Amino acid sequence: MDSTRATIAPATSARQIATAFEALIRSARQHARGLSLVAQRTLELWSDMPLLAIEIQPAGLIAEERVLVERNAREAAWTLPAFMAGVRAIGLGEDVTADDLAALAMELTHVQGTPEDIERLQSWLLADGAPGLKIAVQTSFVEVFEGQDIQINANVGAEHAQRMAFDAQATTLQAQELREGGALPEARMALELFSTGRASRGFELTVAERALVSQSVSASSPWFIAELDALLAQPALQQCTSLDRLAARLLRLLRHGVDAAVLERLVALHQHKASFAAQLQKTLHAAHMGAQLGAHLAPPLLHTPLFRALVAALPPEQRVELLLGVLERSEAPDVFEGLRVAAQAIGPHEIINMLPHDVLDAAHAAPLLRLLLAISVPPERITQIIAQLQPAAAVSAATSLPEIYLMELDRTLIRAIARLTPAQALALLPPLMARPELVIADILYTVLAEGRHSDWSHQLTEQCLMRALSKQALPEQRLIKLTRTRHAHTPTRVMSLRQLERFGDLDALRDAVRWRVRELFDPPEIANAMRTRRARLTDIAAVAKREEDPP
Amino acid sequence: MSAQDHELQDDLEIAIKTLQAIFVLMRTVMAHGTAHPLTHDSVRRVQEVFVVESPWALQWVRGGVFRDQILLELSDELYWRAATLSTALEHLGVNELSFKPTPSAEEWMALGEALALGALGPHDVLETRRPDRLGWRAIPNASWGEDAQEIDPEVFALIQIALSLRDVEAMRAEALHPWPWATSLRLLRRLERAAEAHRRAGTRALELAPEGWTVARRACSAAYQVVCVLQDARADHFLQRTCAHTALALALHGYDETLGVGVTEAAARCAPLLQGLGESARSGAPPHHMRVAVNLHLLASAPPTSWPGPLHLCAMLYELERQRRPERVSFALTLTDLMASLAQDMGTLHPPLWAKALIQAHDTYPPGAHVRLQDGRLGMIINATPAHIEALIDGQLHQLSPRAPLQLLSSMEVFLGG
């Protein structure tokens, strides 16, 4: 979503969103082929203002107390019947998808002003037809009207109760009825027991029981399992199921938590041979089920054979999504430990094969390497993997490696750092620079000296330079070399010269600025800097001489 | 289209034409007064379009216009005219205009004049006028927006329960296959509203309704209790509705005039519900329909240990309401009887968690409970709150203190003479 947002105009207005929503409904009316694209675009715009609720009024679409799309013969004609059906506002829910918006558009475009349409729309909304959306629904015109002719006395029931009470007194039970009535469970029951229990608060839910009830009504996994089981068992249910919407619903449930029972069912689903199961698997995979699972799997489950069974049952690309999803959370100690146990059980070689180097980015490489180290993958294999990674991933991974690996990988890392974009360098180098080992200084020095890096900011270059000098016995020598090497970037050379000047070692400065033929081919900034320092050194020497030999 | 449909269309057309003509009359009076020839032309125009032989009425309810409770399909322009008339009528304190054949020119003129006054602001002109062939009245809860009148929540809950009972009875009278999803959803929404507005009044309406404990009333009661318990548990609307729908479907398929079949058998009888779930949907079966179908599938074929928690509540309420009409006796059980039975079977037949949740959802003395006073007299609870108890004693309504010592009696004890 972030990458998408970057392409959107920074200030999305409520009017743009309302206009896009109206366009979506027009597309639905025209059965436009690109309905899902229009829905996606509308969702992207709306996601910029996720709290915006568009009011539906007979006048049109309203938000922030302004009419955003006015109803007329061509536009927003649906608002009147929708209003009549009780629809008052439409907003985004947490898990909304473009498909939810498209489905709503399809329903709204079909609603005319007839009572049948109004009832159909309301029934669809009451049946949770638009699950990802927050739709405020009031009583429809038809519903409100139905209650108007019912004359209610607020003391309803009293008259009837009176009649019942008199009847009761007048009732003479037949002997047969009495005998049979006496056999009824309720006749045998002591109402005093209930009464006493109630008085002593014996039937009150304890705090723990309340929590259980609350958990029971909010737990999503039992419904997930029930729905999956029922669907697999009932061909009648399968026939009236839209696989896309079913997958969206199941994934929505997954987002609220994945427990052992859910995992078990998913494994069973992937082992199911029926064609419906196969189609559902395909739809779930297309909707990135693996990533959802990876993001929401409870950590204790990672230890279990169920997790390994699921990893084995998933097709390769889903397996990658799942493992990457878990890796993303592996900063948490319990997730990492769970993953370590699972990886050990699955086998290091298999894990490495499951995650090919081209799928690993900077965010995943570091935790993976940490994991491989934790399960004792041989050093040569680790260096081999890092050598194959994308530059950003390699640098990120190196951040968590022990020093011995860094020494082994110095040339690999120099090459990787050299290929980082300025943005990647800005994000990935500070953690690397924070490591205390000397090898880091050497690597950074080489990168600067060979001028292999891209256009880093002045600040980052300076940070790298300082890190390259830190803990060095002879930092001046590095600065001299950096100043004089023609491979280094010009700003780096100038920066090194200034740094050397700050050190105050005139001999080193003299070495750095000593004239040579190659200076003729240096960029003017370097040549000027050299010249200026030489002149200053000459002045200093002259002053010193005067002080030594007074006239 | 049948002849009856044609007739209906003609009636609705006349209503729309009359609406337009009344609007024009109002505007003409506003612009020119009652003496102007154009105003008389407008009256003639109303008389021309108003060609009917029997009385009928136009109602303005929350911005919609109805002829004898049938919603009129209005064009955009006509909608605004109707809205303008609605505002004028609200200022006059009126939501319905009724007509008898055939109002005179003077009567139409008087209406036009009143509407013109109403269009300018609140006015009591209609309070003193009583024409023979024109009538008007206010309809509670018919206005909307800032002018809407507040309706007493207790009355609102009673109305919703009354309508729900009517709907369930109608459902029973029709074939239940295919399952009437739209009707049942509408009635479940009514039950939810009743429970939200005034739960005690809703329970009272169900417990003390004048009709006997029919299958429909027991089904309605089971669904209502599910809603009440799940509202207390702060379950979301979709879960409440799904579970209440499950209880309703079970009851309507499983109850007989007295007891009925067990929950598994009842769920199995609901199997045809699974047919045509998505017939009316444009994008597969709505999630609600699927969830209800899944619940029924579980109740019919899965062991209770695998049921999600709230399904136990559905099954429990189904079984409780099933007991409401014991076989071979002439009386029905009260809610108190049912809860006492529940308390007795807690942990054996019914899960304690949901049994307690149901008991806790009601006051100590639910409506309809039989009680014995300290002086030995018998009473029936009509309304009990923490502040006061209203009971019927010796045919009279009495206010009792909540601290008054009352002994609960079972229905059987009462029928045995207390």
Side-chain angles (χ1 to χ4, degrees), chain A residues 445 448-451 465 469 475-503 508-516 518-519 522-523 525-531 533-534:
Chain A
Y445 169 71
L448 291 174
E450 292 180 3
L465 178 64
L469 299 178
E476 296 86 351
Q477 290 309 311
R478 286 204 159 172
L479 288 172
I480 293 170
K481 280 182 189 164
L482 278 174
T483 306
R484 294 181 72 80
T485 176
R486 67 187 174 87
H487 297 296
H489 288 187
T490 303
T492 311
R493 293 175 66 185
V494 174
M495 196 183 285
S496 302
L497 190 55
R498 280 193 196 130
Q499 194 57 41
L500 194 56
E501 216 170 5
R502 272 187 218 124
F503 276 16
L509 187 62
R510 203 169 289 117
D511 285 348
V513 300
R514 187 174 300 121
W515 191 88
R516 54 185 171 170
R518 195 179 290 158
E519 197 174 304
D522 274 337
E525 297 96 310
I526 298 290
N528 286 340
M530 295 282 197
R531 244 191 324 271
R533 267 65 174 190
R534 275 198 297 271

Side-chain angles (χ1 to χ4, degrees), chain A residues 342-356:
Chain A
Q344 197 87 60
I346 292 170
H349 181 68
E350 284 71 17
I351 285 284
I352 292 168
N353 285 343
M354 283 174 188
L355 291 167

Side-chain angles (χ1 to χ4, degrees), chain B residues 79-356:
Chain B
Y79 177 80
W80 291 115
R81 291 183 171 194
T84 310
L85 276 173
S86 173
T87 308
L89 286 165
E90 273 175 22
H91 284 156
L92 299 172
V94 164
N95 303 98
E96 180 181 275
L97 291 178
S98 51
F99 314 101
K100 289 178 192 166
T102 306
S104 64
E106 290 73 29
E107 285 172 322
W108 285 120
M109 184 65 88
L111 176 66
E113 200 179 352
L115 287 171
L117 287 169
L120 298 174
H123 208 287
D124 58 0
V125 61
L126 289 181
E127 284 180 16
T128 52
R129 295 189 180 179
R130 286 282 173 267
D132 290 341
R133 281 156 292 189
L134 271 175
W136 42 76
R137 70 170 179 127
I139 301 175
N141 199 28
S143 306
W144 58 281
E146 288 177 6
D147 298 329
Q149 297 165 348
E150 287 294 321
I151 185 166
D152 181 359
E154 197 171 347
V155 174
F156 178 78
L158 297 173
I159 291 173
Q160 297 303 315
I161 293 291
L163 289 168
S164 303
L165 285 168
R166 184 200 66 185
D167 284 352
V168 187
E169 291 289 358
M171 280 171 73
R172 275 281 289 171
E174 303 283 325
L176 293 177
H177 305 307
W179 180 249
W181 288 101
T183 313
S184 47
L185 271 168
R186 202 174 55 228
L187 90 85
L188 289 168
R189 186 75 190 101
R190 291 192 207 290
L191 295 180
E192 286 167 18
R193 286 194 193 117
E196 279 161 12
H198 202 293
R199 176 188 301 178
R200 201 178 291 118
T203 309
R204 183 149 52 95
L206 279 165
E207 290 299 309
L208 298 173
E211 297 81 20
W213 278 100
T214 58
V215 169
R217 184 168 158 202
R218 284 147 66 201
C220 206
S221 180
Y224 185 69
Q225 300 302 339
V226 168
V227 169
C228 291
V229 174
L230 291 181
Q231 275 184 4
D232 280 354
R234 298 180 189 282
D236 66 35
H237 275 300
F238 301 120
L239 181 62
Q240 285 177 35
R241 205 167 291 155
T242 306
C243 291
H245 210 149
T246 306
L248 182 78
L250 282 174
L252 287 181
H253 285 90
Y255 291 163
D256 291 335
E257 208 41 59
T258 53
L259 284 172
V261 297
V263 68
T264 310
E265 168 70 20
R269 286 186 188 180
C270 296
L273 246 82
L274 309 183
Q275 308 293 335
L277 278 179
E279 271 174 12
S280 62
R282 288 174 227 287
S283 43
H288 170 86
H289 296 19
M290 287 296 293
R291 286 193 286 253
V292 173
V294 166
N295 283 356
L296 293 169
H297 167 78
L298 285 177
L299 289 165
S301 55
T305 47
S306 68
W307 297 350
L311 261 196
H312 291 279
L313 175 69
C314 299
M316 184 179 87
L317 276 158
Y318 171 84
E319 290 295 352
L320 278 184
E321 286 294 340
R322 194 159 78 98
Q323 292 178 30
R324 181 80 85 162
R325 281 277 296 111
E327 277 181 327
R328 299 185 295 276
V329 291
S330 54
F331 60 88
L333 304 190
T334 64
L335 186 58
T336 317
D337 292 320
L338 296 183
M339 288 205 285
S341 157
L342 181 65
Q344 191 162 282
D345 296 333
M346 196 186 290
T348 51
L349 293 178
H350 303 299
L353 200 64
W354 294 106
K356 283 183 175 183

Side-chain angles (χ1 to χ4, degrees), chain A residues 224 250-258 262 266 289 293 296:
Chain A
F224 175 93
L250 293 180
L251 292 181
R252 202 167 273 140
L253 288 171
L254 283 185
R255 278 196 282 276
H256 291 103
V258 183
V262 169
L266 284 175
M289 182 197 73
L293 277 171
H296 298 100

